[in-house]
Amino acid sequence: MTEPPLARHPYAFRGQPTLPPSLYSLSTQRLLARYNPKPIFAKRVYPRLNRKADFEKARRQLSKYFNLLNDLIKSDLLEVLFNYRWDTYRQKHRTILDKEMLDNELCCTYPEECSGRHNLDLQVSNLEFVMVWKILIGKSATNLNLLPFLDQYHNSIMVQDMMFPSGPPKGIGWDNRLNLYRDIEQELVKNTKSIANIQQIQFFATYRGFNAGTWATLLQAMPKLQSLELHYWVGETFFDIIRENCTGLRELILFRQRQGRASKDLERIPGLVNSLASTLRVLIIDSVDSSFTQKTAKDLQKAVAGCKLLECLKLEADESPYVHWVNSRYRVTTKLLIMTLRRSFQYLTIVRNINRCFNSDVKIQLTYDTYVDIDNHKHAFFSHGPITGGGENTVAQSTKDFEQAEASSNFFKLMSEFGPKVSSLHCETDIRPEYIAKLFPCLETLEMFSRATRRVPMDTRFTTSPSTWSKLSTFTMEVDPGFSSACTEYLLVHILGDIFTNASNLTTIKVLASQTGLKVSEFSLMLELNKVRNNVRKLREVVFLSPYRMQSQGISYQLATWFLANCPDLQLLRDVSSWGGGEGEWDRVVRDAERRGLRTAWADKTRRVSLYTIDYDSEGWIQADTGHQFDLYNNLNDEWEVVDMDNPEEMEDVVAALANEAALAGNA
């Protein structure tokens, strides 16, 4: 007979029941069960493939079976097999927020620190990995993604490429290291007919470009290629190969890896873009920590202006986009511009040139860093006594002077033209959302990485209207763990208040705080939310992901009650497992949810406890409906008592308490 749980607490309210694992996911797990990690004492079920004959037999059997599956199933199996070890450029750069937590649909704990599993963590030997990969790719694939092999290259092969310019010497162990990427390339070269139908390729150049000759052969064998994504450290030779063999590309993504080797590859990019001007729809060039020269930037501007069919453009470099558009005289036409803007570097010059160079109906996907100075603002904290308001006294006077000057310059003229073009905003900031609403009134999605909610002076001509944020449907915020602990009491108050005041069509909000507790003045939060009841009626999903229980300083059952009472379309409210409140109070919340037709998902407390840090201890919990185990952290700060060392009376109490503890220990 199983023991009753130590305690129960809701963790989610859903409009639909929790679905059991699908037959599809169960089949995937069963199919790849051989590679699931097992305890060392577990009985061995699957035979080893140490002998060549056994390996060949397994290959034939797998080939016969996998060839019966369709391409979509094979693609899904590849993703599980790779365990998402390396993202494509689009996956990696789609957001500034923590992607592990943003995609966490299971519990409120950070996946790497969670006691339960968030996905299959397979352990596949290198030889079997290559074998299964080749079988799943098949003989007539249209997509070929080799980026997951970057993980093994980084960890094993890249060091030897850096150390030996002419290749590793023989006889000292470097030359016989298993190189999965090289082996895959050689297999493809042996049978180029298997890649004749490839339309999309994602691959990388090795640190010194040793594999350029291989890719000259492979790209020549792909006459139907339309999309190419290249990650590189040095790319001169590869750019020439692409220009010679890939004449009909519609999509080109070039991503220079960090610590790339000194070369003149950036000078080759304008010529490459110019050769593809008649077909390119998507052009993404990201050089990370290496800048374009003024001449190269000007040549690239001219080449991009010649691409009349562009639908998506992104040009990034160490000083981008200033270096690309400074004093530009070329007119660029595209449907979507992806760019970064930092107030710490020439941002008004960049805005002026974007206004002048691009078509008026361009949509902009913007990453906006509002910190005025990297060292003295973004990475600094200035304390001038107790935190006031939204943290107005956490910045230096130089920052205040800068922002005051901004309100009286030509900032309004430039931003009133630029701001309405921005449809998607990713923002690193310590400023209240009311500032963002006035600058960017036409947003459809908003993401904030926020540490405070300062009010800043603005030109009085900036105003909001009923149409401001009328298209905004999704809001996501991550709490900056490095600084927010000093300011978070009003962080949620100001941010949710401003968001709900200006956006009446929101359907989804998500708040991430995986590394810090959500400290909040709940009384002030409820007062603010009660002012905007009518603007939350379309909310369907409300998600707060934080495993930290802040005792009397955090969110409680009252916020859950408010959302249930004021959001008639609500279909999901999670993760409330760390929210405060007694058993009777949560029983009332559960009854309210059931009256609304929502189902309650429960979590049961286990006996697993441990000291997490000096500030927190952890408790083990398990989701009753899914069986997933996770942890909650109790804030211990409320139990501490600060003692004034100069106060004799307080010190006498401490001495007496210590003496009593010593006496009890001695008696024991």
Side-chain angles (χ1 to χ4, degrees):
M1 186 175 179
T2 58
E3 294 184 8
L6 300 177
R8 299 201 88 192
H9 196 290
Y11 79 88
F13 300 99
R14 297 189 178 96
Q16 298 296 327
T18 305
L19 297 176
S22 68
L23 289 176
Y24 189 71
S25 62
L26 289 174
S27 300
T28 301
Q29 294 179 35
R30 184 64 178 167
L31 186 61
L32 300 175
R34 172 185 179 85
Y35 305 120
N36 270 335
K38 309 174 189 67
I40 57 175
F41 52 81
K43 182 180 178 182
R44 182 173 296 282
V45 179
Y46 302 98
R48 292 181 177 178
L49 304 180
N50 293 337
R51 296 188 307 163
K52 185 175 181 180
D54 295 336
F55 190 83
E56 283 299 314
K57 181 181 178 181
R59 185 186 62 78
R60 289 193 300 270
Q61 291 175 337
L62 286 173
S63 298
K64 185 177 180 180
Y65 173 71
F66 283 136
N67 286 337
L68 299 175
L69 305 178
N70 63 42
D71 291 339
L72 290 176
I73 295 177
K74 290 180 182 179
S75 176
D76 290 344
L77 287 174
L78 274 175
E79 287 192 2
V80 176
L81 189 68
F82 277 128
N83 199 26
Y84 316 98
R85 277 186 273 184
W86 200 275
D87 290 333
T88 64
Y89 184 88
R90 279 197 176 95
Q91 291 169 327
K92 188 175 182 180
H93 294 84
R94 64 189 171 90
T95 176
I96 60 173
L97 305 184
D98 190 317
K99 300 173 194 61
E100 287 287 319
M101 208 60 186
L102 184 67
D103 296 334
N104 180 3
E105 300 295 340
L106 193 55
C107 76
C108 59
T109 309
Y110 191 67
E112 287 189 0
E113 298 179 355
C114 190
S115 53
R117 287 188 181 179
H118 282 245
N119 52 42
L120 285 177
D121 188 14
L122 304 180
Q123 295 178 357
V124 191
S125 68
N126 289 328
L127 286 175
E128 292 187 41
F129 188 89
V130 173
M131 175 187 70
V132 177
W133 181 86
K134 286 165 56 180
I135 295 172
L136 290 174
I137 287 297
K139 298 180 180 179
S140 58
T142 56
N143 301 321
L144 188 60
N145 181 8
L146 300 178
L147 295 181
F149 293 106
L150 253 172
D151 185 65
Q152 194 259 350
Y153 179 79
H154 264 285
N155 295 334
S156 181
I157 307 301
M158 183 175 169
V159 174
Q160 74 181 36
D161 282 357
M162 296 173 70
M163 292 176 61
F164 307 112
S166 302
K170 295 183 178 181
I172 61 172
W174 287 95
D175 58 324
N176 57 10
R177 284 191 170 190
L178 184 64
N179 189 335
L180 291 180
Y181 188 53
R182 181 192 59 201
D183 294 344
I184 291 295
E185 288 176 330
Q186 291 175 354
E187 289 290 336
L188 294 174
V189 169
K190 288 178 184 177
N191 184 18
T192 55
K193 292 182 180 179
S194 65
I195 58 175
N197 294 320
I198 294 295
Q199 298 178 21
Q200 182 182 38
I201 180 71
Q202 293 153 328
F203 69 106
F204 63 94
T206 56
Y207 182 75
R208 295 186 182 275
F210 288 150
N211 58 340
T214 300
W215 282 99
T217 302
L218 293 176
L219 291 179
Q220 192 175 15
M222 301 178 188
K224 299 180 181 180
L225 192 63
Q226 296 184 23
S227 172
L228 184 147
E229 178 176 334
L230 171 64
H231 295 231
Y232 66 96
W233 283 270
V234 55
E236 294 177 63
T237 308
F238 283 87
F239 297 161
D240 293 338
I241 293 171
I242 294 170
R243 187 173 64 250
E244 293 170 4
N245 297 286
C246 308
T247 55
L249 285 181
R250 295 163 62 92
E251 177 176 281
L252 178 63
I253 301 175
L254 303 176
F255 181 40
R256 183 182 174 93
Q257 298 287 297
R258 291 191 180 278
Q259 300 177 337
R261 299 182 63 238
S263 67
K264 296 183 179 180
D265 48 23
L266 297 183
E267 298 177 8
R268 305 286 184 95
I269 291 180
L272 173 60
V273 173
N274 194 53
S275 68
L276 299 169
S278 61
T279 59
L280 270 184
R281 264 71 168 177
V282 176
L283 176 61
I284 296 176
I285 299 172
D286 194 339
S287 185
V288 190
D289 55 4
S290 180
S291 293
F292 286 75
T293 63
Q294 288 287 351
K295 181 183 182 307
T296 303
K298 187 176 181 180
D299 292 341
L300 184 57
Q301 294 165 15
K302 185 176 181 180
V304 171
C307 299
K308 301 302 182 183
L309 302 176
L310 270 185
E311 297 178 7
C312 176
L313 174 66
K314 179 178 182 180
L315 302 179
E316 286 288 336
D318 188 34
E319 296 177 348
S320 173
Y322 173 74
V323 71
H324 295 303
W325 308 116
V326 60
N327 298 324
S328 174
R329 293 296 183 269
Y330 300 104
R331 187 74 173 178
V332 178
T333 302
T334 182
K335 293 181 180 179
L336 176 65
L337 172 65
I338 305 174
M339 61 173 288
T340 300
L341 190 65
R342 300 181 180 89
R343 285 211 298 176
S344 60
F345 181 78
Q346 302 285 353
Y347 76 114
L348 291 182
T349 303
I350 295 168
V351 169
R352 176 177 63 86
N353 282 281
I354 295 297
N355 289 342
R356 186 178 63 187
C357 295
F358 282 84
N359 48 301
S360 59
D361 60 343
V362 64
K363 281 194 171 185
I364 298 176
Q365 181 178 310
L366 179 65
T367 297
Y368 188 34
D369 189 329
T370 69
Y371 293 99
V372 171
D373 185 281
I374 299 299
D375 294 324
N376 296 319
H377 184 188
K378 188 173 184 177
H379 297 157
F381 175 85
F382 297 88
S383 180
H384 305 284
I387 304 304
T388 59
E392 283 78 5
N393 59 343
T394 64
V395 297
Q397 185 61 43
S398 58
T399 298
K400 297 177 182 178
D401 294 341
F402 179 97
E403 292 171 339
Q404 186 63 52
E406 180 183 80
S408 57
S409 66
N410 61 345
F411 181 73
F412 173 79
K413 179 181 178 182
L414 295 173
M415 291 302 292
S416 60
E417 181 180 351
F418 176 83
K421 299 175 183 177
V422 178
S423 60
S424 177
L425 179 64
H426 310 265
C427 192
E428 294 187 65
T429 187
D430 62 348
I431 302 176
R432 287 183 66 152
E434 62 181 11
Y435 172 85
I436 299 172
K438 294 175 181 178
L439 293 186
F440 309 108
C442 300
L443 292 183
E444 298 171 11
T445 60
L446 172 60
E447 292 184 354
M448 294 178 64
F449 186 76
S450 182
R451 86 183 197 196
T453 49
R454 296 186 301 116
R455 269 207 165 104
V456 298
M458 292 193 72
D459 192 306
T460 54
R461 289 174 290 180
F462 281 111
T463 58
T464 58
S465 67
S467 63
T468 298
W469 283 2
S470 60
K471 298 180 180 179
L472 183 63
S473 61
T474 303
F475 169 69
T476 311
M477 182 191 78
E478 181 176 359
V479 179
D480 184 345
F483 296 89
S484 58
S485 59
C487 313
T488 49
E489 186 174 350
Y490 284 93
L491 187 71
L492 279 181
V493 177
H494 293 157
I495 286 183
L496 293 182
D498 286 359
I499 291 293
F500 290 143
T501 297
N502 292 285
S504 58
N505 294 316
L506 273 176
T507 60
T508 303
I509 65 169
K510 198 167 192 176
V511 178
L512 312 176
S514 61
Q515 300 177 57
T516 185
L518 287 170
K519 184 179 178 183
V520 62
S521 171
E522 193 169 48
F523 178 78
S524 300
L525 177 61
M526 301 310 297
L527 286 179
E528 198 68 29
L529 291 180
N530 285 332
K531 300 175 184 177
V532 293
R533 291 175 184 269
N534 294 330
N535 285 1
V536 299
R537 300 188 63 80
K538 295 183 179 180
L539 268 180
R540 295 180 59 82
E541 294 187 8
V542 178
V543 178
F544 285 72
L545 297 184
S546 177
Y548 294 92
R549 287 176 154 178
M550 300 303 293
Q551 308 299 339
S552 60
Q553 300 178 349
I555 300 173
S556 77
Y557 73 96
Q558 296 184 63
L559 185 60
T561 300
W562 190 89
F563 279 123
L564 290 171
N566 293 285
C567 305
D569 293 340
L570 192 66
Q571 293 297 306
L572 176 64
L573 174 60
R574 65 178 275 265
D575 190 297
V576 303
S577 55
S578 62
W579 296 11
E583 184 177 346
E585 293 158 336
W586 279 107
D587 285 343
R588 288 196 296 273
V589 175
V590 170
R591 288 195 295 270
D592 289 344
E594 289 175 348
R595 281 196 293 269
R596 284 277 323 281
L598 299 178
R599 295 169 173 84
T600 304
W602 293 92
D604 297 332
K605 186 178 179 181
T606 67
R607 297 188 181 278
R608 189 181 71 255
V609 294
S610 59
L611 184 65
Y612 181 64
T613 69
I614 194 173
D615 295 323
Y616 295 93
D617 69 351
S618 70
E619 297 176 351
W621 289 75
I622 184 169
Q623 294 175 358
D625 52 349
T626 68
H628 176 73
Q629 298 182 22
F630 65 102
D631 297 287
L632 294 179
Y633 307 111
N634 291 310
N635 182 13
L636 304 178
N637 292 336
D638 288 351
E639 302 174 7
W640 293 359
E641 184 178 352
V642 179
V643 177
D644 185 356
M645 301 293 288
D646 296 326
N647 189 326
E649 293 182 1
E650 291 190 12
M651 287 303 298
E652 286 180 7
D653 293 339
V654 173
V655 171
L658 291 175
N660 289 334
E661 288 186 12
L664 291 173
N667 293 333

